[in-house]
DNA sequence: AGTGTATGCTTGATATACTTAGCGTGCTTC
DNA sequence: GAAGCACGCTAAGTATATCAAGCATACACT
């Protein structure tokens, strides 16, 4: 965590406080940020975020802000209460033969058609279940 | 851009289709998943997600599902329309589609059947789809 | 028959992210 | 003082994710 902002002695820094301190640091107005994000984040909405009226802004909003502020997206996500743990699952057994598909490099069209066919296959199997 | 019209049956694999195929693949019921996620995702809600009634489930919901399915959280985030990484916003990932297949388990029987169908597909339509 | 149970799905209600319009204040410049 | 304008902020509305119940069908058992 960055203790960059003068958060004093009180508890944790909220997302709103953090975002507000960055903006005032950069001497930007709410409307300037609104412009910078191409209206993705309205000044009114940003105000609500900064005053913690919004509990969990959407990731894309956070991304826009992280982008123009030049701060870490993941950190904002975390402060907003999202799980950011992109932990590598132990996906050991899952592959195997399926890798054959990876070799083939399906086009999107092919993939969707295969996907449809897979659904069809499985709906067929419902009647004659079991291996 | 590739024609992103209201495709409905064929076209891109939606998040719902993907999640549904995984669950049926694992032979889990909606309520079993609800239990597995510790009620984080209700069966009713999961049903709506799988039928694409929900446009953008929250990251935490996606995380719960990614967790119990053992699939990549970031991929689900992407399929849900969230910005995941600060990289290539332009085009980049034509993979991750293939990963759709690679990530969840196909039975050997299903795989060979799909392979056959893929051959059939390719022998039939020679439209080179390049995006 | 009937009763029970499990499945996927829908319906209605609530919470909350987000939008749009506008307010109050302070600062210029007339 | 008044007009104009930028600032942060708020109030009211809309959209949508999520919850709580329940419905319909299918299958099992007596």
């Amino acid at each position: 965590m960055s203790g960059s902002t003068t958060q004093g002695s009180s508890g944790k820094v909220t997302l709103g406080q953090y975002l507000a301190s960055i903006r005032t640091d950069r001497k930007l107005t709410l409307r300037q940020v609104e412009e910078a994000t191409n209206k993705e984040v309205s000044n009114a909405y940003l105000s609500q975020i900064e005053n913690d009226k919004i509990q969990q802004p959407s990731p894309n909003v956070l991304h826009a802000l992280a982008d123009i502020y030049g701060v870490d997206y993941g950190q904002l996500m975390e402060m907003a209460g999202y799980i950011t743990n992109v932990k590598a699952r132990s996906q050991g057994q899952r592959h195997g033969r399926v890798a054959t598909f990876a070799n083939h490099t399906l086009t999107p069209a092919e993939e969707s058609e295969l996907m449809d066919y897979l659904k069809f296959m499985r709906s067929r199997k419902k009647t004659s279940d079991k291996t």
Side-chain angles (χ1 to χ4, degrees), chain A:
Chain A
M1 300 314 200
S2 58
S4 56
T5 40
T6 333
Q7 219 26 248
S9 45
S10 45
K12 283 200 45 160
V13 183
T14 69
L15 174 71
Q17 291 170 343
Y18 180 54
L19 288 175
S21 72
I22 295 177
R23 184 179 58 81
T24 51
D25 248 14
R26 307 270 209 282
K27 305 232 182 325
L28 296 170
T29 72
L30 294 173
R31 284 174 178 82
Q32 280 172 335
V33 174
E34 168 174 345
E35 277 307 312
T37 62
N38 239 37
K39 310 274 196 194
E40 265 185 75
V41 185
S42 72
N43 72 83
Y45 189 44
L46 181 55
S47 173
Q48 297 179 64
I49 293 177
E50 290 187 353
N51 291 301
D52 294 317
K53 301 286 172 49
I54 304 297
Q55 312 176 6
Q56 219 177 34
S58 97
N60 290 348
V61 166
L62 295 181
H63 185 272
L65 294 177
D67 212 25
I68 74 159
Y69 288 158
V71 298
D72 186 47
Y73 173 45
Q75 184 188 343
L76 294 190
M77 287 288 282
E78 244 182 84
M79 294 180 92
Y82 290 118
I83 302 171
T84 61
N85 188 12
V86 197
K87 67 183 165 193
R89 301 286 307 165
S90 54
Q91 76 237 1
Q93 64 210 2
R94 222 167 309 289
H95 295 145
R97 51 207 124 50
V98 192
T100 13
F101 274 108
N103 287 339
H104 280 240
T105 315
L106 305 168
T107 70
E110 282 174 341
E111 191 214 5
S112 67
E113 194 169 341
L114 272 186
M115 206 65 185
D116 282 349
Y117 187 69
L118 177 62
K119 280 179 75 175
F120 167 65
M121 264 172 51
R122 285 176 171 158
S123 67
R124 273 178 73 211
K125 273 202 306 191
K126 273 186 186 172
T127 50
S128 61
D129 200 28
K130 272 300 178 250
T131 50

